[in-house]
Amino acid sequence: MKSYEVNFDGLVGPTHNYGGLSYGNVASQSNSQQSSNPKEAALQGLAKMKALMDMGFQQGVLAPQERPDVAALRRLGFSGTDAQVIERAAKEAMPLLVASCSASSMWVANAATVSPSADTADSRVHFTAANLNCKYHRSIEHPTTSHVLGAMFANQQHFAHHAALPAVAQFGDEGAANHTRFCREYGEAGVEFFVFGRSAFDNRFPAPQKYPARQTLEASQAVARLHGLRDEGVVYAQQNPNVIDQGVFHNDVIAVGNGEVLFYHEDAFLETDKMLAELQGKLAKVGGNFQSVCVPRSAVTVDDAVRSYLFNSQLLSRADGSMLLIVPQECQANERVWAYLQSLTSSGGLIREVKVFDLKQSMQNGGGPACLRLRVALNETELAAVNPGVIMTAPLYGSLTAWVEKHYRDRLSETDLADPQLLLECRTALDELTQILKLGAVYPFQIN
Ligand code: SUG
């Protein structure tokens, strides 16, 4: 049976802004308080989805969330009408209003961890929504994420959904940003690779000194158990704490994998040789030939990687078996990174082509091409069971572009977040979106 990697991209929400909310994420901190352009952000994301679809890849779309999250503000003690809640939060606790307005759900690599049916005990595709509990503004995403994923992958015969892990730091889970799957064919059993930043219960593992390690070993292990993965099909590795302290807040800022290939920076992991040997051995047991491409620090520094987002690229398999790398334009702007990419594609290796995308609006908050997509490997039968409303087509691209043009502002600054009108605009837009994507009622304002 045919199988595919389907990329579901997060649609940027109408409140996209630069709140400076993510300590440890260099771009988020350095662009704090700049005014944003939500319309441009959403159109840049849609252009990437359209381009991948036009290249023949399977592409889907994941809806944004209701923001400002008035219910979250009510849980923090703000009361009255929705407009009063927003006004009071703006007056008394602006940082909480900013957090409740974040459009951060666009980075759907953090929405969930997904295990394809070929890896799981019950042969269903498993999803665990990420608790994202390292940052308040992201910790409020998972309930709606679960509703949206449930509406997209509704068939219980093929899809199993797990609630987010307990919302405490010991089980900090950032979803697929720290999870990669290696396989020969997407529909065959593979090896799932979980990268953690620290252990919550075992102090033999070193931890970063400056910035938080968002993913714990214990969270990754819990997800593997929930999904019914075999020990032989799982490899755990620790991210190098020194690179976390240099701004590598997720593994997908320093490594990316696809098929049988891991593309990574020399400083990405601890005990790299042991990890590579385990990946090689376990993939061989399911008939795969593991290959790795290490980018030496002499060619690209960790700082270059953090600024250019070289590794936050999408590594895609083409029909002829070669690979294509989708990179943000910041890679072209960095001389060393661009020179490295030229030498990589002309070296006769597997990665033959690089395509550059302008995702500046998202990049300024630390979200590159790979952050914007959630990969779901599906066989033909499973793909047919996905809600067809969320699969990208030329008409859907047209409808979504028109929808963005109609509802989105082209400028948003912190003071605009205090405008209760923004909530109404957002709800009106999302109500229409659920009809376009045929999602049914998934938002708090539609359910309650
Ligand atoms: O969690 N930025 C996101 C970026 C997530 C990138 N995702 C992956 N690497 N997979 C984060 O730090 C910034 C929001 C702000 O500052 O307004 C933010 O949440």
Side-chain angles (χ1 to χ4, degrees):
M1 196 185 319
K2 269 193 159 172
S3 54
Y4 310 89
E5 173 186 276
V6 189
N7 281 282
F8 290 87
D9 274 46
L11 188 54
V12 178
T15 60
H16 160 63
N17 74 94
Y18 300 117
L21 300 170
S22 278
Y23 179 66
N25 166 344
V26 176
S28 154
Q29 289 182 271
S30 51
N31 292 305
S32 174
Q33 309 291 314
Q34 272 193 35
S35 60
S36 63
N37 185 336
K39 184 178 281 184
E40 186 176 60
L43 294 176
Q44 286 174 344
L46 280 166
K48 172 164 92 75
M49 297 185 225
K50 167 83 162 45
L52 264 69
M53 178 190 75
D54 288 345
M55 284 185 250
F57 296 104
Q58 296 285 345
Q59 181 68 53
V61 60
L62 221 152
Q65 305 208 350
E66 179 188 345
R67 295 288 181 271
D69 187 336
V70 178
L73 290 170
R74 288 186 191 280
R75 285 197 296 277
L76 298 177
F78 299 101
S79 58
T81 62
D82 288 344
Q84 284 167 340
V85 166
I86 292 168
E87 276 158 16
R88 285 177 186 161
K91 206 159 92 205
E92 296 167 29
M94 195 58 190
L96 298 183
L97 177 64
V98 174
S100 84
C101 286
S102 178
S104 54
S105 69
M106 71 169 90
W107 300 296
V108 294
N110 305 115
T113 306
V114 188
S115 294
S117 57
D119 294 352
T120 62
D122 66 1
S123 300
R124 291 191 294 169
V125 183
H126 282 246
F127 299 81
T128 295
N131 62 26
L132 296 173
N133 76 343
C134 182
K135 307 284 173 211
Y136 171 68
H137 71 289
R138 303 219 60 182
S139 71
I140 57 179
E141 291 174 28
H142 70 85
T144 297
T145 300
S146 290
H147 282 133
V148 174
L149 289 175
M152 295 167 68
F153 303 95
N155 185 318
Q156 289 183 13
Q157 194 191 332
H158 295 295
F159 306 121
H161 294 275
H162 305 278
L165 298 178
V168 289
Q170 282 111 320
F171 290 106
D173 178 21
E174 300 275 318
N178 300 305
H179 173 259
T180 309
R181 177 175 183 261
F182 299 102
C183 61
R184 200 167 56 171
E185 294 287 336
Y186 294 118
E188 293 178 7
V191 176
E192 301 203 14
F193 179 47
F194 291 86
V195 180
F196 59 94
R198 70 182 179 101
S199 164
F201 296 104
D202 187 340
N203 57 18
R204 284 173 304 177
F205 294 93
Q209 301 297 305
K210 185 175 171 198
Y211 292 143
R214 299 198 198 181
Q215 180 87 31
T216 68
L217 169 62
E218 292 76 6
S220 300
Q221 290 169 328
V223 171
R225 271 192 298 271
L226 285 165
H227 292 194
L229 304 181
R230 300 163 301 122
D231 285 347
E232 275 310 289
V234 175
V235 172
Y236 298 100
Q238 183 168 9
Q239 203 181 349
N240 179 351
N242 293 334
V243 301
I244 296 180
D245 281 339
Q246 290 173 73
V248 181
F249 57 97
H250 288 137
N251 178 59
D252 69 5
V253 178
I254 197 106
V256 58
N258 171 44
E260 297 172 302
V261 179
L262 173 65
F263 178 61
Y264 70 102
H265 189 273
E266 185 178 2
D267 294 327
F269 306 103
L270 293 183
E271 300 194 80
T272 309
D273 291 342
K274 185 169 156 252
M275 171 199 96
L276 293 174
E278 196 180 347
L279 285 169
Q280 196 271 330
K282 288 188 170 172
L283 195 58
K285 285 203 179 124
V286 286
N289 172 28
F290 179 71
Q291 296 160 62
S292 56
V293 180
C294 174
V295 180
R297 67 179 83 88
S298 57
V300 173
T301 64
V302 172
D303 188 57
D304 288 329
V306 170
R307 285 175 197 280
S308 69
Y309 262 40
L310 165 62
F311 297 94
N312 200 257
S313 47
Q314 286 179 254
L315 186 58
L316 300 170
S317 299
R318 302 196 290 194
D320 66 358
S322 70
M323 288 192 178
L324 159 73
L325 207 55
I326 302 290
V327 302
Q329 65 181 15
E330 285 72 5
C331 286
Q332 207 165 14
N334 180 308
E335 245 174 68
R336 275 184 303 276
V337 168
W338 194 241
Y340 173 80
L341 283 171
Q342 302 305 306
S343 66
L344 177 72
T345 48
S346 57
S347 67
L350 254 183
I351 305 175
R352 304 267 166 78
E353 197 189 349
V354 168
K355 278 201 190 296
V356 178
F357 282 81
D358 177 3
L359 296 164
K360 188 162 185 253
Q361 285 288 325
S362 166
M363 282 288 288
Q364 292 189 146
N365 250 341
C371 300
L372 286 163
R373 59 96 173 98
L374 181 67
R375 298 190 277 189
V376 186
L378 298 168
N379 63 35
E380 256 173 326
T381 314
E382 292 155 356
L383 181 55
V386 176
N387 179 341
V390 297
I391 300 296
M392 188 56 82
T393 58
L396 179 60
Y397 172 76
S399 310
L400 291 175
T401 305
W403 172 81
V404 170
E405 294 284 0
K406 175 175 163 196
H407 293 284
Y408 281 48
R409 299 190 187 188
D410 58 12
R411 192 173 187 285
L412 208 58
S413 61
E414 193 177 278
T415 45
D416 298 318
L417 303 178
D419 174 8
Q421 184 60 32
L422 187 63
L423 173 68
L424 299 181
E425 280 172 32
C426 187
R427 286 181 176 168
T428 306
L430 293 183
D431 212 27
E432 207 175 299
L433 181 70
T434 51
Q435 291 164 41
I436 297 173
L437 299 179
K438 304 190 173 45
L439 288 174
V442 288
Y443 296 116
F445 76 93
Q446 296 173 316
I447 298 169
N448 301 324

